[in-house]
Amino acid sequence: MSNKEQTQSCRLGSVGGQAIIEGVMMRSKKHSAIAVRRMDNHKIAVSRKVNTSVSDKFKFLKWPLIRGVVNFVESLIQSFATLTQGTEMLGIDYEAETSSKFDKWLEEHCGKWLVGIISAISMVLGVLLALVLFIWLPTAVTNLFFGRYAVGFGAGVLRSALEGVLKVVIFIAYIWLTAFIPDMKRVYMYHGAEHKSIFCYEKGLELTVENVKAQSRFHPRCGTSFMFAMILLSIFVGIAFLWAVEAVWLRTVLKLALLPLTVGVGYEFIRYAGKHDSKAVQILSKPGLWMQNLTTREPDDEIIEVGITALKCALPDEFEGFYEECLAALEADEKAENDGAEETANTENSEESAETTTPAEDSFEA
């Protein structure tokens, strides 16, 4: 095996990521890094932290199937935390004059505590919405067709298959509708930059805009593919365990109980698909890759730069000093901007002072 092939083999599956508003989060085995394009000065702001996982303390949590559930829960928590931090890094002035006195009071007295509570509530509501859309709703709608009259294994198989079809339809409709939100179109461009950057890294190529641009935006380890794989797997789980269950409430409860199994199997498949390229894997990965036509867009050069920056910052062992250089450059830019603003303010004050003294001098001379 050549050195290049060894490099590619070691890098496969070692990095993941997430697109956020005007930015990208990259996660390696040791670090997570966020890079965003600031809204005020269009510079790239970065942040990095060391990854921690409960599975580091309890080794059995790294066993197959179990590790998928742990990874899913931790990824969900990190996803919401990343969205919050990424928004804070955008450089948006939240203290606008249009803010009400109540908003300012909350900001002054509650601060980050309030932001944390709002983030937690948003996460809970998001999870509840997903459970309603993809578990309860398909079960309730399917029950309208079958009711209490269709019993037996054959009817149970048809019920689970119909539920699966409804889940797929709801998922596609949900993703398709989000594409009409203006901000989401740019998020999908950053999603494409995330995939392209990871592909470039996994192939052992230099992380340049040109090299990244040439890569595919469809990645087999994408979260979209994972969600789609779970939906398809839920059909077979329903056939195997729920074919004899008719009551909507009981089917919903049992689906929740079986969710860890579905997540665990789906994670193992995505993990395997990300490291192998056999014909069978290509066929099984196709549905998820098709879905990425909706959740990714071709990024421009500036967006690709953000993806590359996030990836390099998440790999300090390979790109030593890069993160510190980004912080130093951003600090220097901010200092220059502040100095420029102060100089402008001083100039304006001097001009105002000159304008106010001129009439007095004219009057004295007269």
Side-chain angles (χ1 to χ4, degrees):
M1 181 181 293
S2 65
N3 291 335
K4 185 175 181 179
E5 289 175 338
Q6 288 180 343
T7 300
Q8 293 178 14
S9 178
C10 293
R11 290 182 172 184
L12 284 176
S14 63
V15 178
Q18 172 190 347
I20 57 177
I21 297 175
E22 294 300 323
V24 174
M25 183 276 288
M26 290 290 190
R27 178 185 176 95
S28 65
K29 293 180 179 179
K30 297 180 181 180
H31 298 85
S32 294
I34 300 173
V36 300
R37 181 76 68 179
R38 289 173 61 96
M39 306 287 278
D40 52 357
N41 58 15
H42 300 289
K43 304 293 184 181
I44 299 178
V46 296
S47 175
R48 186 175 70 194
K49 67 176 183 178
V50 177
N51 293 332
T52 58
S53 174
V54 67
S55 59
D56 295 331
K57 296 182 179 179
F58 305 99
K59 301 301 180 183
F60 74 93
L61 295 178
K62 293 184 178 181
W63 294 354
L65 296 183
I66 297 178
R67 63 189 175 189
V69 179
V70 174
N71 181 272
F72 178 75
V73 174
E74 291 184 340
S75 296
L76 193 63
I77 295 173
Q78 185 183 30
S79 176
F80 281 94
T82 297
L83 289 172
T84 301
Q85 184 178 359
T87 303
E88 293 173 352
M89 294 167 60
L90 287 174
I92 301 174
D93 184 12
Y94 292 102
E95 296 182 0
E97 295 180 358
T98 55
S99 298
S100 66
K101 292 182 179 180
F102 179 68
D103 292 333
K104 293 179 180 179
W105 183 90
L106 285 177
E107 178 66 24
E108 180 180 351
H109 291 81
C110 300
K112 294 183 178 180
W113 176 82
L114 179 63
V115 174
I117 293 296
I118 293 175
S119 299
I121 293 174
S122 299
M123 183 174 69
V124 172
L125 292 177
V127 171
L128 288 176
L129 177 63
L131 294 178
V132 169
L133 286 178
F134 298 108
I135 293 183
W136 177 83
L137 184 60
T139 304
V141 172
T142 302
N143 194 64
L144 297 176
F145 290 93
F146 285 85
R148 298 182 178 180
Y149 304 102
V151 295
F153 180 74
V157 171
L158 290 175
R159 183 194 294 265
S160 296
L162 181 57
E163 286 179 358
V165 171
L166 288 175
K167 288 179 185 178
V168 172
V169 172
I170 292 172
F171 184 65
I172 293 176
Y174 178 82
I175 297 297
W176 179 72
L177 288 173
T178 60
F180 289 96
I181 303 174
D183 288 340
M184 286 305 297
K185 292 181 179 179
R186 287 191 61 81
V187 171
Y188 289 159
M189 292 174 72
Y190 279 99
H191 193 189
E194 174 220 329
H195 287 182
K196 285 172 170 284
S197 299
I198 293 175
F199 261 132
C200 186
Y201 170 75
E202 289 177 338
K203 291 180 179 180
L205 301 175
E206 184 182 358
L207 288 173
T208 64
V209 173
E210 291 74 18
N211 287 342
V212 170
K213 188 184 294 185
Q215 308 306 313
S216 171
R217 73 176 199 263
F218 308 117
H219 202 288
R221 287 189 294 107
C222 174
T224 306
S225 296
F226 174 68
M227 294 298 297
F228 203 80
M230 285 206 306
I231 290 174
L232 295 180
L233 284 169
S234 68
I235 298 175
F236 299 100
V237 171
I239 291 173
F241 296 97
L242 303 177
W243 65 270
V245 181
E246 300 173 20
V248 173
W249 71 269
L250 183 56
R251 287 182 69 88
T252 302
V253 170
L254 291 177
K255 283 181 180 180
L256 289 175
L258 291 168
L259 188 59
L261 175 62
T262 306
V263 171
V265 175
Y267 175 81
E268 296 302 326
F269 169 72
I270 295 298
R271 180 186 175 94
Y272 182 86
K275 295 183 177 181
H276 299 81
D277 196 30
S278 65
K279 206 68 176 176
V281 168
Q282 291 180 13
I283 294 173
L284 293 173
S285 299
K286 278 294 183 183
L289 294 176
W290 287 335
M291 285 301 303
Q292 291 179 42
N293 280 293
L294 296 177
T295 62
T296 63
R297 296 287 189 273
E298 286 295 334
D300 58 31
D301 290 359
E302 287 193 347
I303 290 178
I304 289 175
E305 287 177 359
V306 175
I308 293 174
T309 300
L311 182 53
K312 286 184 175 181
C313 288
L315 297 164
D317 294 338
E318 297 185 47
F319 302 96
E320 187 176 353
F322 180 81
Y323 175 67
E324 289 74 16
E325 290 176 5
C326 290
L327 291 179
L330 187 62
E331 184 178 350
D333 289 334
E334 290 179 348
K335 186 177 184 302
E337 289 176 3
N338 292 334
D339 291 343
E342 291 180 3
E343 184 177 347
T344 301
N346 292 334
T347 302
E348 291 176 351
N349 290 335
S350 299
E351 291 176 351
E352 291 177 0
S353 177
E355 290 175 358
T356 56
T357 57
T358 299
E361 293 173 354
D362 291 342
S363 176
F364 177 77
E365 291 175 356

